[in-house]
Amino acid sequence: MSFGTENSIASMMNDLQVESELSLVKVIAVDDIDEIEIGGFKIEYKETDSKFDVPRWVAHILVEKNLVKLADVGIEIEVINAISKEKMLGVHRLSELKPDLYKKINFLLKNLRSKLDNNRESSLEYDKISTSVYDLINIRINKIISLASLPFPPDDIQKLITPEEYLLFDTVRSNIHEWRKLMVGDEF
């Protein structure tokens, strides 16, 4: 069954993924790094422990080669804090998330997944973080669907949700509106 929005959702999610891969992340050199070029992106000489920004896709390659580590390791705490805030607020209230939170989470989980090969510590860390992320996502999905079903959602909804969540909100809201119209007529 096709609802006619699959291609637009896939296209928009792809655009968000491309934007994420091109966004800059802060990394820390594990050792001295000689001048290198990765896929046309040039990195000048960096000393051990120096911090610098690179596109996310370059950071992934540098992390895989054990040349750098991610400087932003507070994502786990951000997720746990967000879960706590969501639980304290009511069903129709969302806490504000940083617009790039899911991009950071995705990047972190990809890096942890790449280190899972028989590494118990990485496996436990991955399980812990992914469980928290799923908890946050499920809480937020429930609230977003609830808000999307309201005749008048909060005016500040776009400020409170990430671009990925807004795509979900807008799609669900449109589908609910169309369904209601079909069920009860044009007056709704």
Side-chain angles (χ1 to χ4, degrees):
M1 177 186 295
S2 176
F3 295 104
T5 57
E6 292 164 10
N7 288 337
S8 63
I9 291 173
S11 173
M12 291 173 91
M13 289 305 286
N14 187 49
D15 290 348
L16 289 170
Q17 183 64 33
V18 168
E19 180 184 323
S20 171
E21 291 296 318
L22 296 175
S23 65
L24 296 177
V25 294
K26 191 165 290 300
V27 294
I28 303 169
V30 174
D31 263 326
D32 288 354
I33 300 174
D34 292 326
E35 184 176 301
I36 57 172
E37 187 172 324
I38 299 174
F41 185 84
K42 191 173 186 175
I43 300 172
E44 296 179 8
Y45 171 80
K46 302 292 180 189
E47 291 181 359
T48 303
D49 293 329
S50 63
K51 291 182 181 180
F52 56 102
D53 294 326
V54 294
R56 196 173 303 273
W57 68 270
V58 173
H60 184 68
I61 293 167
L62 294 173
V63 167
E64 271 184 5
K65 295 179 180 273
N66 294 318
L67 296 173
V68 301
K69 61 184 178 182
L70 296 175
D72 187 7
V73 293
I75 299 168
E76 302 91 341
I77 294 167
E78 248 183 275
V79 170
I80 290 167
N81 287 340
I83 291 170
S84 294
K85 286 180 188 175
E86 292 304 329
K87 287 181 177 179
M88 284 191 294
L89 297 172
V91 176
H92 294 296
R93 294 192 54 213
L94 286 164
S95 65
E96 186 175 349
L97 292 183
K98 292 181 182 176
D100 63 347
L101 179 66
Y102 289 121
K103 295 172 184 114
K104 288 179 180 179
I105 289 169
N106 186 284
F107 185 65
L108 175 67
L109 291 176
K110 276 184 185 176
N111 282 323
L112 288 174
R113 247 184 258 124
S114 71
K115 296 176 185 175
L116 289 180
D117 299 335
N118 299 324
N119 185 332
R120 180 152 169 73
E121 188 176 312
S122 290
S123 180
L124 291 173
E125 184 179 1
Y126 176 82
D127 290 344
K128 179 181 158 193
I129 293 170
S130 62
T131 299
S132 294
V133 167
Y134 282 116
D135 287 347
L136 176 62
I137 287 173
N138 287 333
I139 291 168
R140 302 250 330 159
I141 285 173
N142 285 326
K143 289 183 175 194
I144 289 167
I145 290 171
S146 179
L147 289 169
S149 70
L150 294 174
F152 302 103
D155 292 334
D156 62 348
I157 189 77
Q158 274 191 284
K159 179 183 154 214
L160 298 173
I161 60 181
T162 67
E164 297 87 352
E165 290 174 335
Y166 187 74
L167 177 60
L168 173 64
F169 171 81
D170 193 46
T171 302
V172 169
R173 182 160 173 74
S174 294
N175 286 336
I176 289 172
H177 180 73
E178 183 65 28
W179 183 83
R180 280 184 178 148
K181 228 165 72 171
L182 290 171
M183 294 300 112
V184 296
D186 289 337
E187 71 227 25
F188 208 79

